[in-house]
Amino acid sequence: MSDDLKKGLEGVLVAESSLSMIDGDAGRLVYRGYTIEDLANGASYEEVLYLLWHGHLPNAEQLAAFEDAMAEEREVDDDVLDTVRQLAEADENPMAALRTAVSMLSGYDPAPEDAEPTDEEVNLAKGRRITAKMPTIVAAFTRIRDGEEPVEPREDLDHAANFLYMLNGEEPDDVLADVFDQALVLHADHGFNASTFSAIVTASTLSDVHSAVTSAIGTLKGPLHGGANQDVMEMLKEVDDADSDPLDWVKNALDEGRRVSGFGHRVYNVKDPRAKILGERSKELGEAAGSLNWYEMSTTIEDYLMEEKGLAPNVDFYSASTYYQMGIPIDIYTPIFAMSRVGGWVAHVLEYIEDNRLIRPRARYTGADPDETEFVPIGER
């Protein structure tokens, strides 16, 4: 057994997976053999869920049945929505509210209580229900917090369009629905990232799917993982509100020792392929609105950091301005991330427990020497 210390498990292989592959030097992302470019441009989020969960892309009949099954699970029990209401009215953090609500879903899940923890069919059904209900929770929380009543889900809309409908109270146009669907595809899986690994650690104890997803949501809530796109948009708004030249702003920020959000990645050494795709969508939305302000601001910052610092943008950098131009509130960017990534979480949980081994790493002890530490009874201390 090696005693080499790998802080943050850097470079440590802990399992094999057929779900997604990242080539950080080439800037390449693959889901089950398909490039992210092909999937983002040619497949819906439901098709990608099917691919991740079943191992192959569906045919038309399989997709229709899968879409129907997902749509039928969108409604959330009134008790859960009551809790969401209480959290929204208490001004809870959106990710904390989502974490609580997803955990609560387990109490209303129809899965048999005596099911084996490794029962793939039961676990897949749980994962499907969680994935279908999370958009309902996020939309309801957002509307209640903003003083509006939740909008009930519709079964005749796809996953992306239904969320935008529940969020805004009106059916989105085809362009917005398509852009949002593509964003969900791009965020669906990304190897053994922190939240996925958190879900797998929980599942490796043979805990339930709700616990695994709740663990993952709690992990994604952290600003070093899921909160970056919110930070990016707040940064861009700061530049815009100050009416600053983006180039001057980024230079001053670096001189002050500030970190520019949305750049650098633990895996990619070049531009994130997802950033390339969302950058184009951000530009398209700006052109449709008659203003390229956010896109041009972003590219100015990107060009400078690439040339001067060798820093490439990650997916968060362009998802920020894309969501903002769609009218999505900044503080639900991370819950939207969770709404997409839950597909990957569920897939990895299902895959890992097929050949399960409890995840139990070690830590190097740096405490006091027991040979030099004398125990003193309480009465003598």
Side-chain angles (χ1 to χ4, degrees), residues 171-234:
E171 188 173 337
D173 64 38
D174 291 343
V175 173
L176 291 184
D178 180 63
V179 171
F180 191 68
D181 182 79
Q182 190 176 63
L184 295 179
V185 169
L186 294 172
H187 287 88
D189 195 40
H190 207 244
F192 270 32
N193 55 82
S195 57
T196 298
F197 187 61
S198 175
I200 293 170
V201 170
T202 300
S204 79
T205 70
L206 296 186
S207 187
D208 59 284
V209 177
H210 287 83
S211 293
V213 173
T214 301
S215 296
I217 293 171
T219 304
L220 189 67
K221 180 177 179 291
L224 293 184
H225 184 18
N229 54 5
Q230 178 177 339
D231 292 341
V232 169
M233 198 61 232
E234 290 173 348

Side-chain angles (χ1 to χ4, degrees), residues 73-113:
E73 302 286 3
R74 289 173 178 162
E75 289 191 4
V76 173
D77 189 274
D78 288 343
D79 289 344
V80 178
L81 286 179
D82 286 344
T83 298
V84 170
R85 181 179 296 276
Q86 293 175 32
L87 294 171
E89 292 174 347
D91 201 26
E92 174 64 287
N93 176 280
M95 280 295 283
L98 180 62
R99 179 191 62 211
T100 299
V102 168
S103 178
M104 192 175 178
L105 287 177
S106 68
Y108 303 87
D109 194 279
E113 294 184 4

Side-chain angles (χ1 to χ4, degrees), residues 7-222:
K7 295 279 286 192
L9 299 182
E10 184 87 33
V12 175
L13 292 174
V14 298
E16 294 181 327
S17 177
S18 62
L19 291 167
S20 60
M21 183 273 288
I22 307 164
D23 185 334
D25 293 326
R28 198 170 189 219
L29 173 61
V30 171
Y31 297 169
R32 290 198 183 274
Y34 296 95
T35 67
I36 194 62
E37 291 82 4
D38 284 345
L39 292 173
N41 292 317
S44 67
Y45 181 63
E46 285 91 334
E47 287 178 82
V48 169
L49 286 179
Y50 194 99
L51 171 67
L52 292 173
W53 293 351
H54 296 282
H56 60 89
L57 287 169
N59 59 31
E61 183 178 351
Q62 291 169 329
L63 178 60
F66 183 75
E67 289 173 333
D68 288 344
M70 286 284 294
E72 290 169 1
E73 302 286 3
R74 289 173 178 162
E75 289 191 4
V76 173
D77 189 274
D78 288 343
D79 289 344
V80 178
L81 286 179
D82 286 344
T83 298
V84 170
R85 181 179 296 276
Q86 293 175 32
L87 294 171
E89 292 174 347
D91 201 26
E92 174 64 287
N93 176 280
M95 280 295 283
L98 180 62
R99 179 191 62 211
T100 299
V102 168
S103 178
M104 192 175 178
L105 287 177
S106 68
Y108 303 87
D109 194 279
E113 294 184 4
D114 59 350
E116 291 294 325
T118 56
D119 189 317
E120 183 177 10
E121 184 176 343
V122 169
N123 289 333
L124 182 55
K126 286 183 178 181
R128 184 181 68 244
R129 286 189 284 270
I130 294 169
T131 304
K133 296 177 192 303
M134 281 176 60
T136 307
I137 292 168
V138 174
F141 174 88
T142 306
R143 289 184 65 84
I144 293 168
R145 181 199 58 188
D146 294 343
E148 300 176 301
E149 284 301 302
V151 174
E152 292 187 2
R154 280 171 47 179
E155 293 188 15
D156 62 319
L157 297 175
D158 64 25
H159 195 75
N162 177 66
F163 172 72
L164 294 176
Y165 166 72
M166 291 189 296
L167 184 67
N168 299 316
E170 59 184 36
E171 188 173 337
D173 64 38
D174 291 343
V175 173
L176 291 184
D178 180 63
V179 171
F180 191 68
D181 182 79
Q182 190 176 63
L184 295 179
V185 169
L186 294 172
H187 287 88
D189 195 40
H190 207 244
F192 270 32
N193 55 82
S195 57
T196 298
F197 187 61
S198 175
I200 293 170
V201 170
T202 300
S204 79
T205 70
L206 296 186
S207 187
D208 59 284
V209 177
H210 287 83
S211 293
V213 173
T214 301
S215 296
I217 293 171
T219 304
L220 189 67
K221 180 177 179 291

Side-chain angles (χ1 to χ4, degrees), residues 313-329:
N314 55 45
V315 67
D316 299 308
F317 189 65
Y318 281 105
S319 65
S321 57
T322 300
Y323 291 160
Y324 190 77
Q325 292 176 98
M326 295 175 70
I328 296 174

Side-chain angles (χ1 to χ4, degrees), residues 52-53 119-124 203 209 345-355:
L52 292 173
W53 293 351
D119 189 317
E120 183 177 10
E121 184 176 343
V122 169
N123 289 333
L124 182 55
V209 177
W345 294 336
V346 170
H348 280 280
V349 165
L350 294 171
E351 181 183 59
Y352 189 82
I353 61 177
E354 283 183 356
D355 185 25

